[in-house]
Amino acid sequence: MNRNRILGFAGLLTAVTICAGCSQQTAGTPSADTSSSSSQTGAPKVAQPLDPGAYLGNPCTIVPDQTITQLGYTDPGTPNTTSQTAVTGGPSCQWIMPDSAKTINIAIQRSSSGTDNGGIAKILSLNGSLFSFAEPTDVSGYPAAYADTQDDRPRGACSLWVGIQDDLTFLVATDQYSGAQDSCDTAKQIAAAVISKLQGGS
């Protein structure tokens, strides 16, 4: 992941969490804001919420080792739990493929103070403001969206947000893949593996 992409990833996590906090203050209560965001964006509720709490201290372990290895990553991931980005936007982990520019980043959008980012409803509501696009999809039955500040999917960078609670997402960001399908298929494969692990799989 090049330096500009790293800075963009860090800024994105922080900005989304800050936007969620500001929106809640404006609405008066978090529950009122969530209802409003869901109705405005059409984001579905999360029918079976998942708890990522066990992985906040070491976000690299939220992705099964087998999945990472199958994708060609042999070096362990590098966790980020103490930087200002991690404190504000949530813990993350980065894998870098040896002898390649390919990278995978995963982040859980829960700040160290316990603030969540507003879920998929919030992600979709930021289309046209923070995000230049936000396209709904789903991963293993959970609401999701491809969204970023600019659309770099054709050059092999894909950002996929997945709602695991009504007010909480995790983000998978791939970079330096061969194109939109390659990068987004990889992101979706990782996201599905994360959901399976959160559901009790290995």
Side-chain angles (χ1 to χ4, degrees), residues 28 53 109 136:
Q109 279 78 63

Side-chain angles (χ1 to χ4, degrees), residues 126-153:
L126 295 173
N127 187 20
S129 54
L130 178 64
F131 295 131
S132 65
F133 72 99
E135 298 176 3
T137 183
D138 75 273
V139 178
S140 302
Y142 284 78
Y146 296 109
D148 209 334
T149 55
Q150 61 185 36
D151 193 352
D152 287 331
R153 289 175 293 182

Side-chain angles (χ1 to χ4, degrees), residues 115-199:
T115 302
D116 294 342
N117 71 333
I120 285 297
K122 173 55 62 178
I123 298 302
L124 294 175
S125 76
L126 295 173
N127 187 20
S129 54
L130 178 64
F131 295 131
S132 65
F133 72 99
E135 298 176 3
T137 183
D138 75 273
V139 178
S140 302
Y142 284 78
Y146 296 109
D148 209 334
T149 55
Q150 61 185 36
D151 193 352
D152 287 331
R153 289 175 293 182
R155 71 165 191 82
C158 186
S159 295
L160 175 63
W161 308 75
V162 184
I164 50 176
Q165 297 177 15
D166 287 339
D167 292 323
L168 178 64
T169 64
F170 69 85
L171 167 65
V172 180
T174 56
D175 196 17
Q176 300 298 318
Y177 279 76
S178 63
Q181 182 168 352
D182 188 24
S183 60
C184 289
D185 282 354
T186 300
K188 208 160 195 179
Q189 179 180 344
I190 295 166
V194 169
I195 288 173
S196 178
K197 189 162 188 177
L198 290 174
Q199 289 173 328

